[in-house]
Amino acid sequence: MFPLRTASAVLLLPALLALLTGCGDTGGLASAGPVPTARGPVHLWPERAGADVPPADPGGAPPEYVKGLPRVRNQNVHEVDPVALVQAELRARPGAEVGPDGMPEATAAAIRACGAEGAGGGAGAGAGCPVLTPYYRDLTGNGRDEVVVGIELPDKMMSVRVYTADPDGRLNRIMATTQTLVSVELAGRDVVLRMPSGNPGYELITAWSWDEGQRTMLPTREQIVRVPSGSGGASGSGGSGGAA
């Protein structure tokens, strides 16, 4: 009978091992079923000669210094009066109607009439001053704030400009754009513009970022997003850098 007991033990051993294995399985990997095969991008019309992308200037963009302003100390842009800053640019580029400095003559006249201190309806600027309250944030990563200036234009358009101070205290404009805007936000070290996309129900979001090689801010990311029904467009700001 000994051989029979041995055979029974051999037959029971696989079942016992399976039972023990099942009891000890407290979170192992389990199959999720068949997975689609990864497919890389397909280059269409590879025989076509594509457009050339000109190389970036290794020297970067030349500084756009604002003339006619006193130099700041320790690269502290908080010392700069934003109204005086915009007025100095008007004097440097009188009559500009297109491009980053372009604005209607009525807006330029209103800026020239602003007070010498404050902005956005402050005590010195006056309630009708188109120069809005500035915001401050380190956008270049040098450990010092830049100043973000907004100028209200007709038809919901805005001019958004960013200035930094160089080690000699000169103000250098590193961003300037004029757009029809839904809102302006600060997100990390980016200036994010939200604007109508041209398609009903959608917004175009553009993030401007500091480019160390070009020494200026560039539109580095664009995205078209659907606006939720009944939201009335995007709102709010990421301006944790604080206003003046």
Side-chain angles (χ1 to χ4, degrees), residues 75-168:
Q75 297 177 259
N76 182 12
V77 295
H78 293 260
E79 294 183 358
V80 181
D81 172 13
V83 173
L85 181 60
V86 177
Q87 288 173 338
E89 291 202 301
L90 280 177
R91 290 192 297 269
R93 300 175 179 87
E97 295 185 0
V98 297
D101 292 285
M103 64 179 64
E105 175 53 35
T107 303
I111 293 172
R112 286 190 288 266
C114 293
E117 297 179 359
C129 184
V131 181
L132 303 179
T133 302
Y135 283 80
Y136 301 90
R137 178 72 64 90
D138 178 9
L139 300 173
T140 63
N142 67 353
R144 300 181 183 276
D145 281 344
E146 277 67 50
V147 56
V148 184
V149 176
I151 304 170
E152 284 281 17
L153 302 175
D155 301 322
K156 301 295 184 182
M157 296 187 71
M158 276 189 67
S159 176
V160 180
R161 306 177 183 183
V162 177
Y163 305 83
T164 188
D166 73 0
D168 294 327

Side-chain angles (χ1 to χ4, degrees), residues 156 179-184 193-196 203-204 232-236:
K156 301 295 184 182
Q179 303 287 345
T180 301
L181 294 179
V182 175
S183 67
V184 184
L193 307 181
R194 305 178 72 100
M195 61 199 80
E203 288 179 350
L204 174 64
S235 62

